[in-house]
Amino acid sequence: MALYTGDKWWDDKTVAVVTGSNKGIGFEAARMLAEQGLTTVVTSRNEEQGKQAAAKIQAAAPASRVLYHQLDIADPASVDRFASWLREELGGVTVLVNNAGFAYKGNVFGADEAKVTLGINYAGTRALTEKLLPLLKGPARIVNVSSRAGTRSIVRSQQLLERLTSAASPQQLDEAAEEFVSAIRAGDHAAKGWPSSMYGISKLLLSLWTAQLAEQLRGKHVMVNAMCPGWCRTDMSSGGGTKSAADGADTAVWLALRNPDDFATGGFWGERGGIPW
Ligand SMILES: NC(=O)c1ccc[n+]([C@@H]2O[C@H](COP(=O)([O-])OP(=O)(O)OC[C@H]3O[C@@H](n4cnc5c(N)ncnc54)[C@H](OP(=O)(O)O)[C@@H]3O)[C@@H](O)[C@H]2O)c1
């Protein structure tokens, strides 16, 4: 399926940032955005790996400007350095694909590990995005790569679910994140209705926050959406999965390049369509 067939609303000055684009779905999303002609910023925790990825993307999209900058979304100093560089070097950003994500392998489960997982997938994504909000320009789009592993149905207590879904501020989501970690530490997370999925809760909080942010920015011409790439063959899935990383990136890039006349915000998407979560 062609990625984009309408009139292009962007040009070679339109800036796209993809987090965690040294490999996997993020690499493919950055490659596709560069191939569509946007100025594309590849970012990664590890500089060496990120620079190699940027060189590959530049080779795949020779006519586009491909830049690299280090970015660890869970490290406030790195987020600050990145935001300053982006402002000074490029003057802002129009497309932000929050792809960076993390999951422990196997049956790892614990309070410290939950803190790390939520710290990257939810809090890190939020911290970077909030830092970049003043730099958004043009018909901006924020695409949060979430997961069907974080649908509402994973919460086992109706009362807890209602509290989570009715949260009106990120602070309430932060409190819920802390409660989850504390409950794991106290050994009563299941009794309190939490699932034994650190990754699932991190992505549920990410999707809930995406909906909050979409409301906060309503009327400001910013599309804010969450999506699930599907089960993709990447390092995260240890090479398992039914889709390639490129197929997983497709809906994220489709949302990122959506025509401004086709405005959609606050949704949860998969395979180029709205999906329940
Ligand atoms: N693969 C699937 O089946 C699947 C399904 C649903 C959702 N997802 C989501 O899709 C996204 C991409 O995953 P993937 O499958 O491509 O996995 P991946 O190959 O493991 O890539 C994850 C990327 O995120 C980066 N990352 C992790 N922590 C980071 C941090 N603190 N700061 C910046 N970057 C960080 C990784 O960097 P390093 O190389 O330094 O680790 C890597 O570039 C994730 O959000 C994941 O949760 C994947």
Side-chain angles (χ1 to χ4, degrees), residues 209-219 224 265-266:
W209 171 70
T210 305
Q212 285 185 4
L213 184 66
E215 281 315 304
Q216 184 192 321
L217 297 177
R218 201 171 275 279
V224 184
T265 198

mmCIF file of all heavy atoms in Angstrom, residues 209-219 224 265-266:
data_model
loop_
_atom_site.group_PDB
_atom_site.id
_atom_site.type_symbol
_atom_site.label_atom_id
_atom_site.label_comp_id
_atom_site.label_asym_id
_atom_site.label_seq_id
_atom_site.Cartn_x
_atom_site.Cartn_y
_atom_site.Cartn_z
ATOM 1 N N TRP A 209 -2.462 8.976 28.736
ATOM 2 C CA TRP A 209 -1.869 10.326 28.682
ATOM 3 C C TRP A 209 -1.998 10.918 27.275
ATOM 4 O O TRP A 209 -2.227 12.123 27.116
ATOM 5 C CB TRP A 209 -0.402 10.287 29.140
ATOM 6 C CG TRP A 209 0.259 11.593 28.890
ATOM 7 C CD1 TRP A 209 0.016 12.768 29.553
ATOM 8 C CD2 TRP A 209 1.211 11.885 27.868
ATOM 9 N NE1 TRP A 209 0.773 13.775 29.000
ATOM 10 C CE2 TRP A 209 1.506 13.259 27.982
ATOM 11 C CE3 TRP A 209 1.841 11.124 26.896
ATOM 12 C CZ2 TRP A 209 2.417 13.877 27.129
ATOM 13 C CZ3 TRP A 209 2.742 11.739 26.053
ATOM 14 C CH2 TRP A 209 3.019 13.102 26.180
ATOM 15 N N THR A 210 -1.885 10.081 26.253
ATOM 16 C CA THR A 210 -2.054 10.553 24.869
ATOM 17 C C THR A 210 -3.428 11.210 24.714
ATOM 18 O O THR A 210 -3.550 12.289 24.122
ATOM 19 C CB THR A 210 -1.928 9.379 23.872
ATOM 20 O OG1 THR A 210 -0.682 8.720 24.091
ATOM 21 C CG2 THR A 210 -1.986 9.861 22.432
ATOM 22 N N ALA A 211 -4.452 10.553 25.269
ATOM 23 C CA ALA A 211 -5.815 11.106 25.171
ATOM 24 C C ALA A 211 -5.900 12.438 25.930
ATOM 25 O O ALA A 211 -6.525 13.395 25.451
ATOM 26 C CB ALA A 211 -6.812 10.099 25.720
ATOM 27 N N GLN A 212 -5.257 12.511 27.088
ATOM 28 C CA GLN A 212 -5.253 13.780 27.848
ATOM 29 C C GLN A 212 -4.577 14.894 27.049
ATOM 30 O O GLN A 212 -5.073 16.022 26.977
ATOM 31 C CB GLN A 212 -4.482 13.616 29.166
ATOM 32 C CG GLN A 212 -5.214 12.854 30.240
ATOM 33 C CD GLN A 212 -4.414 12.860 31.546
ATOM 34 O OE1 GLN A 212 -3.362 13.486 31.662
ATOM 35 N NE2 GLN A 212 -4.923 12.154 32.543
ATOM 36 N N LEU A 213 -3.434 14.562 26.452
ATOM 37 C CA LEU A 213 -2.674 15.579 25.712
ATOM 38 C C LEU A 213 -3.466 16.059 24.489
ATOM 39 O O LEU A 213 -3.465 17.253 24.168
ATOM 40 C CB LEU A 213 -1.312 15.008 25.283
ATOM 41 C CG LEU A 213 -0.376 15.993 24.584
ATOM 42 C CD1 LEU A 213 0.061 17.105 25.540
ATOM 43 C CD2 LEU A 213 0.855 15.277 24.019
ATOM 44 N N ALA A 214 -4.150 15.118 23.835
ATOM 45 C CA ALA A 214 -4.965 15.494 22.666
ATOM 46 C C ALA A 214 -6.020 16.517 23.083
ATOM 47 O O ALA A 214 -6.264 17.492 22.364
ATOM 48 C CB ALA A 214 -5.615 14.246 22.074
ATOM 49 N N GLU A 215 -6.628 16.300 24.249
ATOM 50 C CA GLU A 215 -7.643 17.253 24.740
ATOM 51 C C GLU A 215 -6.996 18.599 25.067
ATOM 52 O O GLU A 215 -7.510 19.655 24.728
ATOM 53 C CB GLU A 215 -8.341 16.692 25.986
ATOM 54 C CG GLU A 215 -9.398 15.677 25.663
ATOM 55 C CD GLU A 215 -10.315 16.110 24.517
ATOM 56 O OE1 GLU A 215 -10.915 17.196 24.609
ATOM 57 O OE2 GLU A 215 -10.404 15.387 23.511
ATOM 58 N N GLN A 216 -5.837 18.526 25.739
ATOM 59 C CA GLN A 216 -5.126 19.758 26.133
ATOM 60 C C GLN A 216 -4.792 20.615 24.904
ATOM 61 O O GLN A 216 -4.828 21.841 24.972
ATOM 62 C CB GLN A 216 -3.851 19.351 26.878
ATOM 63 C CG GLN A 216 -3.027 20.483 27.447
ATOM 64 C CD GLN A 216 -1.648 19.967 27.894
ATOM 65 O OE1 GLN A 216 -1.531 18.868 28.439
ATOM 66 N NE2 GLN A 216 -0.616 20.742 27.668
ATOM 67 N N LEU A 217 -4.461 19.944 23.790
ATOM 68 C CA LEU A 217 -4.027 20.680 22.597
ATOM 69 C C LEU A 217 -5.142 20.871 21.571
ATOM 70 O O LEU A 217 -4.899 21.376 20.479
ATOM 71 C CB LEU A 217 -2.838 19.957 21.948
ATOM 72 C CG LEU A 217 -1.572 19.866 22.807
ATOM 73 C CD1 LEU A 217 -0.492 19.078 22.105
ATOM 74 C CD2 LEU A 217 -1.057 21.251 23.180
ATOM 75 N N ARG A 218 -6.355 20.474 21.936
ATOM 76 C CA ARG A 218 -7.476 20.601 20.995
ATOM 77 C C ARG A 218 -7.647 22.077 20.590
ATOM 78 O O ARG A 218 -7.521 22.965 21.428
ATOM 79 C CB ARG A 218 -8.767 20.071 21.622
ATOM 80 C CG ARG A 218 -9.803 19.713 20.611
ATOM 81 C CD ARG A 218 -10.966 18.990 21.269
ATOM 82 N NE ARG A 218 -10.739 17.551 21.415
ATOM 83 C CZ ARG A 218 -10.907 16.658 20.437
ATOM 84 N NH1 ARG A 218 -11.283 17.051 19.238
ATOM 85 N NH2 ARG A 218 -10.716 15.370 20.658
ATOM 86 N N GLY A 219 -7.853 22.324 19.318
ATOM 87 C CA GLY A 219 -8.018 23.702 18.843
ATOM 88 C C GLY A 219 -6.695 24.353 18.463
ATOM 89 O O GLY A 219 -6.660 25.478 17.968
ATOM 90 N N VAL A 224 -2.628 14.465 17.955
ATOM 91 C CA VAL A 224 -1.942 13.641 18.966
ATOM 92 C C VAL A 224 -2.618 12.269 18.984
ATOM 93 O O VAL A 224 -3.805 12.171 19.307
ATOM 94 C CB VAL A 224 -2.063 14.278 20.370
ATOM 95 C CG1 VAL A 224 -1.256 13.470 21.382
ATOM 96 C CG2 VAL A 224 -1.624 15.731 20.360
ATOM 97 N N THR A 265 -7.526 13.371 16.124
ATOM 98 C CA THR A 265 -6.689 13.464 17.324
ATOM 99 C C THR A 265 -7.306 12.644 18.452
ATOM 100 O O THR A 265 -8.514 12.387 18.462
ATOM 101 C CB THR A 265 -6.506 14.949 17.740
ATOM 102 O OG1 THR A 265 -5.380 15.047 18.624
ATOM 103 C CG2 THR A 265 -7.738 15.523 18.427
ATOM 104 N N GLY A 266 -6.444 12.194 19.378
ATOM 105 C CA GLY A 266 -6.911 11.461 20.559
ATOM 106 C C GLY A 266 -7.320 10.025 20.280
ATOM 107 O O GLY A 266 -7.968 9.394 21.098
#
